[in-house]
Amino acid sequence: MMNQVEFLENDIYFFDIFDTIVKRKVEPEYVKKLWCKEIKKRCKINSSIENIYNIRNEKECHLCKENEKNGFDQEFKYESLLNELYTSYGLDGKIDKSDFNQIAYNSELNCELLVQSVCEDTLELLKELKKRNKKIICITDFYMPKVFLEQLFEYHGIKAYIDKFFVSSEYLMTKRSGSLYRKVLQEFPIAGKKYIMIGDNRYSDIEMAQRFGFSTKWLDRSSQEAYYRKMENQHKRDVKATINTLYNNVNRSNYEDISFSLYQYIEKLYYYLLNNKVRNVFFLSREGEFLKKLFEQYQQNRVEKINTHYFMVSRKATFMASLEPLESETFEMIFRQYIHISLYDFLMSLGFQEMEIIDIAKELNIDYKTKEEDFPRSVTYDNLLKNDTFCRLYESRRTEQKNNFLMYIHSFGVDIEKEGMYLVDVGWKGTIQDNIFKFLDEKIEVVGLYLGLVALGKKHVYNRKVGLVFQCTEGRSTYFNVYNENKSIFEIILGASHGSADSYIRIGDEIQVKTAEQEKEAELFRNLISPIQSHIYSIFKELKDELEIRKYDIDGLEETWAHIHANMVYFPTKDQIELFYKIYHFENFGVFEFTKFKTQDKLSLLKRVNNLRLLIKDHGKFFATSFWGVIALKDAGLSFLIKVYGKYKYKRYFMKERENNK
């Protein structure tokens, strides 16, 4: 047994890499299956992950045998493997060869980084040897090129400790045959020097190294080998069961179960951006504040990252900036949704101050708070368009906001003329996107990547909208009705720490975003929403940590995610219903008022009976204006029907879709 003094007297220290310097969270071969998961999604291969893996395995074996016939060891070069796979996966004509090579390489790197960590005992040894100015060389049997290992070590912060890498794939020579040691000794002759090989494999790292004159140090990694066997058994368990285990541990009372739908959205968003080579993405305030946080957590350990920007916008702020001169402006963006409004509502939506509105109302001799049945066709609206004060203020504010908003967009340093603008928001109609598109003179591509989409708004080839989780604009997506049952809950849970963007103010060469702060909204966020978001973030991270090292068909989890969401909206807990009643929301465009989800506390028996009659006679009319069917029943005094309603909806919209997908 070599003592410490003898050990430190060696001239060159050779280290194995895997399970010696770095270890994995999964068994080594499973990393390739994770790669297959990435490749299936990135290259849109219409085959199972297992089949993609089997093809790769066959091609690796074929290349090893061919190289052995040509006098080399059973090893292969990664570039040769990719050439084989490009054809075998049927990608010719579907994806550029160079793009495939880059995607494949980055996916290999990403999969390794997701599962790797540094062995702490070896790290301390490397530090000590480097302190003594010892030469350290890595020698490993691995199918990736040397530059790949250098990138891994750079990521781990240990590249500076290594003087050189010898990798079997570079020479088609391996440690297990001994030929790689022979290659090493050609460059570093052993005569008169003391070499030591340090590794965990008794044959490749110890016995073969000794045959070539190295002294050796064996590292006992039996516990790591046992861990790999445990993980191999665990990976036989269906990933859906893993998700359900995590779901069963969440606290449903405060809507932690929405974490799973949000995870589905963020995962789909990441791959959409990656597959479309998007480099910059704008998360729209206010729902985008928490979505951006989740997205950054999702891509935290990934090689390919998208630049994220928090874009302070609102329907109101972008509306004013998008407006045309008065003679050509139709105010379509407000009138397509709001016509039963007052002069106050209309001018506030245009960014006018209350005193300015009062002055204009006096000149028009009207009550500025009185709502018109059809404002765009009213006498009030006609007279307003002829009012000099309004015309002057409108043009001044419109020009100011247009210039300031352009400066604000440019402040992000993104070349939108070349890249376009990719927007992320909770969704539904994409009104803000339409405003931005109009502001950009409909000449720059704007793409909205929404959680859900229920209307297209302005249709244009450069103004595209995608509902990543659910949509009904091009036929209804799978499980559309499940996610559409209570869209409000997404908006509530994705509340922000600040008020709505109100306008853009120029101070010198900088643009500041003025926000409309509502103390009641701030209080709601501090006391209720922020704590819920903290729990959701933790669950999201737990999901990510579990799933990023699991092999699964990403698109194959649609039913699992929908089942969890269906449970939330069709079978809510009593606490979830009560929590929903505590929520309120301030509308700051079109109308300016607080919306509460709770209407009345007690109803007479007669009123409840009448509500039941309406439900039986015309259930469509009964639920027409409800945020959530469950709440509509409770408000009508029909709580006893909530479970019946849930079972009916579950069978009609979840089970039916499930059967259709079989």
Side-chain angles (χ1 to χ4, degrees):
M1 181 72 70
M2 184 185 302
N3 61 39
Q4 183 71 3
V5 174
E6 289 176 317
F7 178 79
L8 293 173
E9 287 180 348
N10 286 285
D11 296 303
I12 302 181
Y13 293 77
F14 293 86
F15 281 82
D16 171 48
I17 291 179
F18 296 101
D19 295 329
T20 297
I21 295 179
V22 297
K23 57 186 177 181
R24 297 181 175 107
K25 298 177 186 176
V26 300
E27 63 274 26
E29 194 64 18
Y30 196 80
V31 181
K32 295 180 184 178
K33 294 184 177 182
L34 294 178
W35 177 87
C36 293
K37 175 181 79 171
E38 293 291 314
I39 288 297
K40 175 179 170 64
K41 188 68 177 175
R42 295 294 310 279
C43 299
K44 300 178 181 177
I45 299 174
N46 187 25
S47 186
S48 69
I49 293 173
E50 283 301 323
N51 191 46
I52 294 170
Y53 169 75
N54 289 336
I55 291 173
R56 171 172 174 158
N57 201 33
E58 289 170 7
K59 294 304 175 184
E60 287 182 5
C61 291
H62 169 73
L63 288 171
C64 285
K65 289 176 182 177
E66 287 297 309
N67 287 329
E68 188 178 33
K69 286 180 184 177
N70 293 324
F72 297 100
D73 286 347
Q74 284 202 9
E75 186 58 280
F76 63 90
K77 290 185 179 293
Y78 189 63
E79 185 179 356
S80 300
L81 174 65
L82 295 186
N83 289 335
E84 294 274 343
L85 293 181
Y86 181 73
T87 302
S88 298
Y89 289 155
L91 298 176
D92 195 8
K94 295 180 181 179
I95 182 172
D96 187 78
K97 179 67 167 58
S98 61
D99 285 346
F100 170 70
N101 288 352
Q102 191 63 57
I103 289 170
Y105 182 90
N106 286 343
S107 296
E108 294 276 6
L109 187 58
N110 193 74
C111 290
E112 285 288 356
L113 292 179
L114 286 175
V115 302
Q116 278 189 19
S117 61
V118 178
C119 300
E120 290 299 325
D121 56 346
T122 309
L123 178 58
E124 292 306 312
L125 177 57
L126 291 173
K127 289 179 179 178
E128 180 61 29
L129 293 175
K130 208 62 183 176
K131 197 184 297 182
R132 295 170 179 267
N133 294 317
K134 298 291 185 177
K135 184 178 285 294
I136 300 171
I137 295 173
C138 283
I139 175 170
T140 185
D141 288 345
F142 193 45
Y143 51 85
M144 296 302 290
K146 179 179 70 172
V147 65
F148 183 90
L149 289 169
E150 291 174 339
Q151 286 178 279
L152 285 181
F153 276 46
E154 185 72 47
Y155 175 86
H156 290 306
I158 57 176
K159 184 173 178 288
Y161 297 119
I162 312 304
D163 295 295
K164 190 174 178 64
F165 290 88
F166 281 91
V167 189
S168 60
S169 61
E170 296 272 331
Y171 309 101
L172 300 180
M173 300 176 182
T174 65
K175 285 190 299 180
R176 62 182 175 271
S177 73
S179 60
L180 189 56
Y181 288 112
R182 192 176 293 112
K183 180 67 179 176
V184 169
L185 293 178
Q186 288 176 2
E187 186 165 338
F188 298 96
I190 201 168
K193 294 183 179 179
K194 294 181 180 179
Y195 291 176
I196 186 168
M197 178 66 195
I198 303 161
D200 68 296
N201 189 294
R202 284 191 178 276
Y203 181 77
S204 296
D205 297 330
I206 306 304
E207 184 178 330
M208 291 305 298
Q210 289 173 353
R211 289 185 190 181
F212 286 88
F214 291 70
S215 59
T216 59
K217 180 178 176 61
W218 176 68
L219 300 179
D220 183 358
R221 299 301 198 211
S222 54
S223 60
Q224 186 66 21
E225 291 171 8
Y227 172 78
Y228 287 149
R229 289 193 295 272
K230 174 186 172 184
M231 291 303 295
E232 191 171 6
N233 290 328
Q234 185 173 318
H235 288 148
K236 293 175 183 176
R237 184 186 181 205
D238 186 69
V239 71
K240 295 174 185 177
T242 302
I243 293 171
N244 286 327
T245 298
L246 291 173
Y247 169 62
N248 291 332
N249 290 329
V250 305
N251 179 6
R252 292 190 62 203
S253 298
N254 58 5
Y255 292 99
E256 290 179 12
D257 36 1
I258 206 171
S259 308
F260 298 83
S261 296
L262 292 175
Y263 185 88
Q264 177 190 190
Y265 172 54
I266 295 298
E267 183 168 66
K268 289 186 173 185
L269 173 63
Y270 177 75
Y271 282 103
Y272 183 98
L273 294 169
L274 221 55
N275 289 339
N276 286 277
K277 300 180 181 180
V278 178
R279 294 185 295 169
N280 292 278
V281 62
F282 294 84
F283 286 78
L284 307 188
S285 62
R286 292 185 285 173
E287 286 86 351
E289 183 179 49
F290 190 54
L291 289 175
K292 181 175 180 288
K293 185 177 179 181
L294 295 179
F295 185 83
E296 288 173 344
Q297 170 57 235
Y298 183 86
Q299 68 168 358
Q300 186 178 48
N301 298 325
R302 294 182 176 267
V303 174
E304 296 180 273
K305 289 184 169 65
I306 294 100
N307 299 319
T308 61
H309 309 281
Y310 189 50
F311 200 32
M312 293 283 286
V313 290
S314 68
R315 288 180 297 171
K316 179 181 177 181
T318 56
F319 182 54
M320 193 63 194
S322 71
L323 295 176
E324 301 293 332
L326 199 55
E327 57 270 17
S328 57
E329 181 57 59
T330 64
F331 302 105
E332 175 198 0
M333 292 301 180
I334 187 171
F335 292 149
R336 76 183 187 187
Q337 188 172 356
Y338 303 98
I339 59 172
H340 183 55
I341 56 176
S342 65
L343 177 69
Y344 174 83
D345 295 328
F346 178 70
L347 292 182
M348 283 291 287
S349 299
L350 268 60
F352 280 62
Q353 301 300 312
E354 186 157 2
M355 286 307 300
E356 294 171 339
I357 298 172
I358 291 172
D359 289 342
I360 292 171
K362 285 180 180 178
E363 292 179 19
L364 296 177
N365 195 28
I366 62 168
D367 179 2
Y368 67 96
K369 288 285 183 87
T370 300
K371 293 187 182 293
E372 303 280 354
E373 194 65 34
D374 188 349
F375 187 83
R377 292 177 177 81
S378 67
V379 174
T380 299
Y381 180 63
D382 285 341
N383 291 337
L384 177 67
L385 297 182
K386 301 169 188 174
N387 181 267
D388 291 339
T389 303
F390 167 71
C391 293
R392 174 175 51 79
L393 290 174
Y394 171 85
E395 186 58 28
S396 171
R397 185 150 292 117
R398 182 191 75 83
T399 305
E400 173 197 72
Q401 288 304 294
K402 189 175 283 287
N403 292 335
N404 290 355
F405 189 50
L406 184 62
M407 270 189 72
Y408 179 60
I409 291 175
H410 287 162
S411 70
F412 290 92
V414 178
D415 186 351
I416 61 171
E417 291 188 4
K418 182 180 179 181
E419 297 183 32
M421 289 191 78
Y422 284 79
L423 313 177
V424 172
D425 197 11
V426 67
W428 317 154
K429 296 177 183 177
T431 301
I432 293 175
Q433 177 180 339
D434 290 343
N435 289 341
I436 293 171
F437 182 62
K438 183 182 175 186
F439 167 79
L440 296 172
D441 296 325
E442 302 184 357
K443 294 178 180 177
I444 292 175
E445 184 177 39
V446 182
V447 181
L449 303 172
Y450 302 109
L451 191 149
L453 195 60
V454 299
L456 277 177
K458 184 174 182 59
K459 296 176 72 172
H460 193 284
V461 66
Y462 284 169
N463 191 43
R464 294 187 290 113
K465 298 176 183 177
V466 183
L468 291 174
V469 175
F470 66 103
Q471 59 85 27
C472 64
T473 56
E474 297 177 2
R476 292 198 169 189
S477 59
T478 308
Y479 303 113
F480 172 82
N481 289 290
V482 172
Y483 295 106
N484 195 49
E485 174 67 19
N486 182 6
K487 299 190 299 295
S488 298
I489 196 61
F490 285 111
E491 296 176 275
I492 291 165
I493 297 302
L494 295 173
S497 62
H498 58 82
S500 177
D502 190 72
S503 60
Y504 303 96
I505 302 169
R506 180 171 180 172
I507 300 177
D509 293 330
E510 294 185 357
I511 293 293
Q512 291 186 2
V513 183
K514 178 186 175 185
T515 59
E517 301 295 335
Q518 296 286 339
E519 181 51 37
K520 285 180 69 177
E521 277 193 317
E523 182 183 349
L524 178 69
F525 180 80
R526 285 193 305 269
N527 298 336
L528 195 61
I529 304 304
S530 182
I532 291 174
Q533 286 184 356
S534 294
H535 291 297
I536 289 173
Y537 184 81
S538 297
I539 295 164
F540 181 93
K541 185 178 184 304
E542 191 175 0
L543 255 174
K544 185 211 72 168
D545 290 345
E546 180 66 40
L547 293 183
E548 69 185 3
I549 60 170
R550 290 297 304 270
K551 168 188 71 72
Y552 64 95
D553 186 340
I554 290 170
D555 296 323
L557 290 178
E558 297 279 352
E559 181 189 317
T560 303
W561 303 130
H563 172 74
I564 291 172
H565 198 84
N567 258 3
M568 181 178 72
V569 294
Y570 295 150
F571 307 107
T573 67
K574 182 180 178 181
D575 288 339
Q576 282 180 314
I577 295 172
E578 291 304 315
L579 181 59
F580 193 78
Y581 274 138
K582 294 178 182 178
I583 305 299
Y584 42 84
H585 172 67
F586 185 74
E587 280 290 330
N588 63 352
F589 183 76
V591 293
F592 293 80
E593 59 192 17
F594 277 98
T595 299
K596 281 194 172 184
F597 296 107
K598 187 164 186 175
T599 53
Q600 47 192 324
D601 295 318
K602 293 182 180 180
L603 296 175
S604 66
L605 179 59
L606 178 60
K607 182 63 175 174
R608 292 167 65 188
V609 171
N610 287 336
N611 287 337
L612 180 58
R613 286 174 178 165
L614 175 61
L615 174 62
I616 295 170
K617 181 181 178 181
D618 189 348
H619 67 272
K621 183 177 180 181
F622 179 88
F623 291 112
T625 59
S626 67
F627 293 104
W628 186 9
V630 167
I631 296 300
L633 289 169
K634 188 169 177 59
D635 285 346
L638 304 176
S639 295
F640 66 94
L641 290 176
I642 288 176
K643 287 187 178 179
V644 176
Y645 170 83
K647 289 178 181 177
Y648 167 76
K649 284 276 192 170
Y650 184 84
K651 184 176 181 180
R652 182 177 181 185
Y653 293 125
F654 180 76
M655 295 301 293
K656 184 179 178 181
E657 292 283 6
R658 185 181 196 177
E659 292 300 319
N660 290 340
N661 287 335
K662 284 185 178 179

